Amino acid sequence: MAREVAMTLDEGSLAIIEAGTGTGKTLAYLLPALLSGKRTVVSTGLINLQEQIYYKDLDFIRKHFRILFTAVILKGRDNYVCMRKARGQHLHYRTMRNVGPDSWQARFDAWLKDTKTGWKEDIPGDLMAALPARVSESLSSGQHSCRGGRCRFQKSCFYVSARRQAANANIVLVNHDLFIADLVIRGGSDSSVIPEWEAAVLDEAHLLSEKATRWFGRSLSCSDVSLTCRQLAEECEDGSLRNLSSVPQVVEICGRLADTLGFLEVQIEERLVEEKRASADERWEKFLFPETNPRSQTIKQLFARAADLCESANMLLPHPKEDEREEDELPDNASDELRLDVFKNKLGAYAETSRLLAAADNPDLVYQFEKSRGDLVFSALPVEGGRILGERLKAADRPVVLTSATLATARTFSFTMARFGFLTGEARTKWLSSPFDYARNTLLFIPEHLPSVKDKDKYLPAFLEEVVPLLKLTKGRALLLFTSNDHMNYVADRLPRLVPYRVLVQNRHGAKSKILQDFTKDVSSVLVATSSFWQGIDVPGESLSTVVVARLPFEVPTSPLMLSRKALVDDRGGNFFNEYTLPQMILSLKQGLGRLLRRNTDRGVLAIFDNRVLTEFFGKKILASLPETRLVKKLDEAREFIVSL
């Protein structure tokens, strides 16, 4: 792999590399990147990998190789505390009341003096909870409120310091969101989010396409807009903005904007009733403007009205005044200016997105709404976000390596190439198997007699009947992965009465990190989870000796994005199932099963409780994409291996 990366960096080309678990892919790209002399951006999809690279892999290189280098973690601007805002809010609150040494003001002041990074996430939890809402909401170094070189805190600015370090570093660690944001901004201006880079390595590249879809689109949350309306009205009536001459007009507009959102929600709810779609807790999506629905025109008019109201409110709010005075000369109303920044930025963004939704005239965008946990989110998303990202990568004209443990199906990269719009010859590809001995250390169990997963009433009871003997044989130590909250909850409600092991359930037993910690410590426990546990978790050792996939993780075929992508493939004369649905599912399945072996000493059972792998025509391709190991269809055939674990 290191040779492939080195050639890519030397030739200035694109490369797609699947490196199986245990390959050591981070060292395989870090060493060539450092030896190339190119300033390299390393982008990851998950925080834990970013921290592993910075605190473990790069430290390993420092200790064992004679390479001098610098590396930094660069986060998005909103992750840094803005010194101007922090000091402004701090002084404002100091003038309002007596401040003791144990007050949040004193503790926050001490944190500002001690922090090396200025990352908001590093603010202690108890201190963050003690900060007034108006303070915590206004701390970020937002792009639109930044005064750049005119700011008196330029020299002590955490974000400026981080960018300065990144500009001089050999390795700059970012996440995918920041990397894609950089490409978005570079595509429309001479500005950038990441200082000039000469090469890029995109790890966990299987996550890029969907992230690109969100970044190259726009979204509007009803709950977000409603909250801003309430906060703005409150600040105008009896808060920091009460002295504005335009208070009556702004308050009135806030009320009208809230009413407009209410009308939008009513239109959607009435449409759902007409379509006999029951409301549920799980997230689901629908087209926003179906041609046959008479409400579409009314909804567009409501978006146009919302855009007009946001723009009107924004115009009535004065621009924050420039203030060149030193910190100890700040006026008592310094925080008022900061609140204006926040509201004007939000209103401007709402107006822009509402105008885009009102027009709905771009055939390359999908206009949809999502309903989840009481919120209604309207979006305009590109049908092929991955292709837009691929075009930006090619336009960058610099070496880029895309790597992951799951990019190929049956050792071919046609799906990944197509998602990024890469033609044959535009990117070099390399498939590298895991060095782990799957044939010796694992076993694939697929019960052949289970009923169809599509028959929920029969399948779920049968799943329990089959999984309980397996768990008793493995003595717990299992991760059960589901594609649906309904299925997960059905099993989670009944399993504790059927097995003598602790059953941990996603969303019931604390945050993800706590559940994983408890699962690792309690060796015989069983973890029941859905989507977020299919990837990015690392539980080496005997605590995880069995991974059970309840159902093949096919994407929901009725989502607006999926239907729009299908229409594109159909128009080209292609087969959507073979070209998109199946390979996407295989990559997700490989991610889930990849949780089992994390070290070369790990052993265990891979189980798929969906017999379509055995009965459907696409089963052979699924099996050809999985690591080579022995397949059994009855639990008795696996007994000897399981007992030896």
Side-chain angles (χ1 to χ4, degrees):
M1 179 175 174
R3 283 195 295 270
E4 287 293 324
V5 173
M7 285 189 287
T8 302
L9 296 176
D10 184 55
E11 297 171 2
S13 55
L14 294 168
I16 301 175
I17 303 173
E18 174 167 305
T21 305
T23 304
K25 70 177 185 297
T26 51
L27 291 178
Y29 60 66
L30 288 173
L31 285 168
L34 289 169
L35 293 171
S36 73
K38 291 181 168 64
R39 184 176 298 113
T40 303
V41 172
V42 176
S43 180
T44 68
L46 302 169
I47 293 175
N48 57 354
L49 177 57
Q50 188 180 77
E51 292 178 345
Q52 174 201 309
I53 293 171
Y54 188 77
Y55 294 108
K56 181 181 176 183
D57 298 324
L58 288 171
D59 189 53
F60 178 87
I61 292 174
R62 285 191 180 95
K63 290 179 179 178
H64 297 281
F65 295 86
R66 294 179 179 178
I67 304 175
L68 296 176
F69 66 91
T70 56
V72 299
I73 294 177
L74 182 65
K75 297 178 180 285
R77 179 191 289 269
D78 287 345
N79 291 280
Y80 295 89
V81 170
C82 171
M83 286 295 289
R84 176 176 66 89
K85 295 179 180 179
R87 290 302 187 191
Q89 295 282 20
H90 182 261
L91 283 179
H92 171 72
Y93 273 89
R94 276 187 178 276
T95 62
M96 292 178 64
R97 62 197 64 143
N98 294 324
V99 176
D102 296 326
S103 66
W104 71 260
Q105 292 97 323
R107 292 164 58 205
F108 186 51
D109 189 48
W111 181 85
L112 283 174
K113 292 176 181 177
D114 292 341
T115 180
K116 299 295 190 295
T117 64
W119 294 341
K120 285 175 60 179
E121 67 188 54
D122 286 349
I123 300 175
D126 59 338
L127 174 55
M128 195 67 175
L131 298 181
R134 58 177 291 150
V135 175
S136 59
E137 292 169 5
S138 305
L139 288 177
S140 294
S141 176
Q143 176 185 359
H144 300 293
S145 61
C146 180
R147 295 183 178 178
R150 298 169 298 168
C151 181
R152 60 187 169 279
F153 293 105
Q154 178 80 356
K155 292 181 180 180
S156 58
C157 176
F158 295 119
Y159 180 64
V160 169
S161 176
R163 282 183 60 87
R164 190 183 301 118
Q165 293 176 50
N168 296 307
N170 303 99
I171 300 290
V172 181
L173 286 165
V174 302
N175 63 21
H176 288 339
D177 290 301
L178 191 65
F179 183 80
I180 297 172
D182 183 65
L183 293 180
V184 171
I185 291 175
R186 287 176 187 268
S189 68
D190 294 329
S191 302
S192 67
V193 175
I194 304 171
E196 198 63 28
W197 49 273
E198 299 168 311
V201 177
L202 311 180
D203 204 342
E204 298 173 316
H206 61 281
L207 300 171
L208 282 168
S209 184
E210 289 309 311
K211 283 190 175 291
T213 296
R214 297 291 167 177
W215 267 102
F216 290 110
R218 298 295 295 268
S219 294
L220 186 74
S221 160
C222 277
S223 63
D224 191 20
V225 181
S226 296
L227 178 61
T228 299
C229 285
R230 289 197 302 272
Q231 291 175 336
L232 178 54
E234 289 169 2
E235 291 292 338
C236 285
E237 290 177 327
D238 55 12
S240 62
L241 307 181
R242 62 185 179 277
N243 294 323
L244 295 178
S245 59
S246 56
V247 161
Q249 299 97 308
V250 173
V251 171
E252 180 195 0
I253 289 175
C254 286
R256 291 168 60 193
L257 182 54
D259 290 342
T260 301
L261 292 175
F263 293 145
L264 267 172
E265 292 177 347
V266 168
Q267 288 291 322
I268 295 298
E269 291 297 336
E270 290 182 352
R271 175 185 148 188
L272 294 178
V273 170
E274 292 167 0
E275 296 174 357
K276 297 182 180 179
R277 173 66 190 241
S279 179
D281 290 335
E282 288 196 50
R283 194 185 89 174
W284 48 272
E285 305 135 313
K286 292 180 75 71
F287 283 107
L288 185 53
F289 304 118
E291 295 180 2
T292 57
N293 195 290
R295 297 181 182 275
S296 295
Q297 192 58 38
T298 301
I299 292 174
K300 289 181 181 180
Q301 292 170 354
L302 289 170
F303 279 125
R305 185 191 303 173
D308 291 340
L309 291 169
C310 288
E311 289 171 355
S312 297
N314 210 352
M315 291 176 63
L316 287 169
L317 294 176
H319 290 283
K321 298 175 182 178
E322 296 296 336
D323 200 325
E324 303 300 331
R325 281 173 283 189
E326 295 301 318
E327 176 185 343
D328 57 1
E329 297 176 329
L330 280 170
D332 290 348
N333 68 343
S335 65
D336 299 358
E337 304 296 316
L338 307 179
R339 295 295 282 172
L340 279 174
D341 269 353
V342 173
F343 288 125
K344 288 186 72 67
N345 292 336
K346 286 186 176 182
L347 289 169
Y350 297 154
E352 186 177 344
T353 303
S354 297
R355 196 70 70 192
L356 178 67
L357 291 167
D361 55 0
N362 188 335
D364 295 326
L365 296 179
V366 178
Y367 300 92
Q368 65 172 49
F369 67 85
E370 305 169 44
K371 192 167 185 180
S372 175
R373 297 180 181 178
D375 193 14
L376 198 56
V377 180
F378 302 100
S379 303
L381 305 173
V383 180
E384 296 183 294
R387 283 180 176 264
I388 300 175
L389 176 58
E391 291 168 2
R392 298 290 174 90
L393 292 176
K394 287 186 285 187
D397 196 27
R398 288 164 238 188
V400 178
V401 175
L402 294 88
T403 186
S404 170
T406 53
L407 290 175
T409 57
R411 303 189 183 187
T412 68
F413 292 87
S414 54
F415 173 67
T416 298
M417 292 279 284
R419 290 213 78 177
F420 291 107
F422 296 155
L423 302 176
T424 303
E426 286 188 327
R428 64 192 316 136
T429 59
K430 187 72 173 180
W431 180 83
L432 299 165
S433 64
S434 169
F436 295 159
D437 190 348
Y438 276 84
R440 184 175 181 178
N441 293 332
T442 66
L443 179 145
L444 179 61
F445 174 40
I446 307 177
E448 61 182 344
H449 59 274
L450 282 175
S452 169
V453 293
K454 297 178 181 179
D455 189 343
K456 177 180 174 180
D457 293 336
K458 291 182 179 179
Y459 171 75
L460 288 176
F463 174 90
L464 278 172
E465 288 180 13
E466 190 72 40
V467 82
V468 167
L470 172 62
L471 295 177
K472 289 182 177 179
L473 199 56
T474 62
K475 299 177 181 178
R477 304 184 293 168
L479 170 63
L480 276 54
L481 292 172
F482 294 85
T483 58
S484 147
N485 282 336
D486 281 347
H487 287 195
M488 179 191 75
N489 289 329
Y490 179 94
V491 172
D493 290 342
R494 293 161 177 79
L495 191 60
R497 301 192 299 270
L498 302 174
V499 295
Y501 315 114
R502 183 183 183 186
V503 177
L504 297 165
V505 185
Q506 179 182 347
N507 299 328
R508 295 190 190 180
H509 294 98
K512 182 177 180 180
S513 58
K514 182 182 184 303
I515 291 178
L516 287 174
Q517 186 179 41
D518 292 344
F519 180 59
T520 303
K521 286 182 178 179
D522 189 343
V523 175
S524 64
S525 60
V526 177
L527 174 53
V528 182
T530 57
S531 55
S532 66
F533 283 78
W534 280 74
Q535 58 187 323
I537 67 169
D538 191 2
V539 185
E542 62 175 331
S543 293
L544 180 52
S545 299
T546 304
V547 173
V548 178
V549 170
R551 180 173 182 160
L552 294 175
F554 285 107
E555 284 191 45
V556 179
T558 56
S559 71
L561 273 172
M562 284 285 280
L563 291 172
S564 299
R565 288 167 180 166
K566 182 179 185 304
L568 272 182
V569 174
D570 291 346
D571 289 344
R572 297 171 189 153
N575 183 303
F576 186 68
F577 182 83
N578 290 333
E579 293 178 26
Y580 184 96
T581 307
L582 180 60
Q584 178 62 44
M585 183 279 295
I586 289 174
L587 296 187
S588 297
L589 179 64
K590 288 170 65 176
Q591 277 291 326
L593 295 177
R595 299 310 97 207
L596 183 64
L597 297 195
R598 309 304 297 173
R599 305 289 185 271
N600 58 11
T601 55
D602 289 346
R603 302 177 71 232
V605 178
L606 302 165
I608 304 175
F609 277 38
D610 188 333
N611 60 19
R612 285 178 292 179
V613 180
L614 304 175
T615 61
E616 295 289 346
F617 70 93
F618 51 79
K620 290 182 179 179
K621 188 166 186 178
I622 294 174
L623 293 174
S625 301
L626 300 180
E628 294 183 9
T629 188
R630 183 162 68 99
L631 168 64
V632 300
K633 303 172 186 177
K634 293 183 173 63
L635 186 57
D636 285 343
E637 298 172 359
R639 188 177 301 275
E640 182 179 350
F641 175 82
I642 294 174
V643 170
S644 71
L645 293 176

